[in-house]
Amino acid sequence: MKPRRSQSTLVRMSLLAALVAFLVPTVGGIYQGYATAQEPTPQPAEAGTQPLMFSHQLHAGEYEIACQYCHAYARRGPVAGIPSVQRCVGCHRTIATEQPEIRRLMEYWAQREPIPWIRIHDLPDHVHFTHKRHVLAGVDCQVCHGEVDRMDAAIQTAPLTMGWCVTCHEEREAPKDCLTCHY
């Protein structure tokens, strides 16, 4: 004889069955359809939208300053970090001090204000992305950010969509479990 199940247990089992019946085709359809979805074309930031003109081509390209010198948190945590005014002033107290943009930089320093940079690469809040994991796995910054060392102003060159990320994970045999990237 089977043991009797309580009414609340039956309700929970019914709700769970309904949820599974809904989620399996939905998640399966999303996963199957990611590669065929139309990838949006990255849109560059409008010229002059940043509070200071900063040339990655000069700093990372010509002077070969490594990405992680300015974006020091990339190898240590989830975000790469925007360089602090102090980081910039560390060099520019003595370098190119008469340049108009350096003078503007020094105004932020004198007023003890952060530079209000406008974010270029932004992911939805439900995406869990950590720079640290990617840096430690040997993924070059250029894979996601493009050839920044050839850009005056940073622009988004990769779509950073789910399909784009999953394709990259497949190519590198990285985890593709949903919880790897989603809370």
Side-chain angles (χ1 to χ4, degrees), residues 38-44 156-159 161:
Q38 182 72 21
E39 299 283 358
T41 304
Q43 298 297 316
Q156 183 177 329
T157 59
T161 59

Side-chain angles (χ1 to χ4, degrees), residues 10 27 42 50 85 98 103 121 128 138 143 150 165-166 173:
L10 292 173
V27 172
Q50 294 294 353
V85 178
E98 296 304 314
R103 288 182 177 188
H121 299 86
H128 174 69
V143 170
R150 295 182 182 196
C165 293
V166 170
E173 297 181 7

Side-chain angles (χ1 to χ4, degrees), residues 93-106:
R93 280 187 177 162
T94 58
I95 297 171
T97 58
E98 296 304 314
Q99 295 292 324
E101 291 302 297
I102 303 307
R103 288 182 177 188
R104 291 183 61 219
L105 165 70
M106 297 311 269

Side-chain angles (χ1 to χ4, degrees), residues 56-107:
H56 279 89
Q57 184 173 4
L58 178 67
H59 290 81
E62 189 173 331
Y63 295 130
E64 298 180 356
I65 298 171
C67 301
Q68 292 182 43
Y69 179 77
C70 297
H71 301 281
Y73 302 111
R75 67 183 167 274
R76 299 184 196 132
V79 297
I82 303 291
S84 66
V85 178
Q86 182 177 1
R87 174 73 51 145
C88 301
V89 169
C91 294
H92 285 294
R93 280 187 177 162
T94 58
I95 297 171
T97 58
E98 296 304 314
Q99 295 292 324
E101 291 302 297
I102 303 307
R103 288 182 177 188
R104 291 183 61 219
L105 165 70
M106 297 311 269
E107 288 174 20

Side-chain angles (χ1 to χ4, degrees), residues 55-58 145-155 157:
S55 174
H56 279 89
Q57 184 173 4
L58 178 67
H145 296 286
E147 294 181 2
V148 176
D149 60 331
R150 295 182 182 196
M151 298 178 194
D152 271 322
I155 60 168
T157 59

Side-chain angles (χ1 to χ4, degrees), residues 10 19 29 31 44 46 48 69 92 94 113 123 131 141 144 150 163:
L10 292 173
L19 182 62
Y31 186 77
E46 291 182 37
Y69 179 77
H92 285 294
T94 58
E113 290 181 15
L123 296 173
H131 277 85
C141 303
C144 300
R150 295 182 182 196

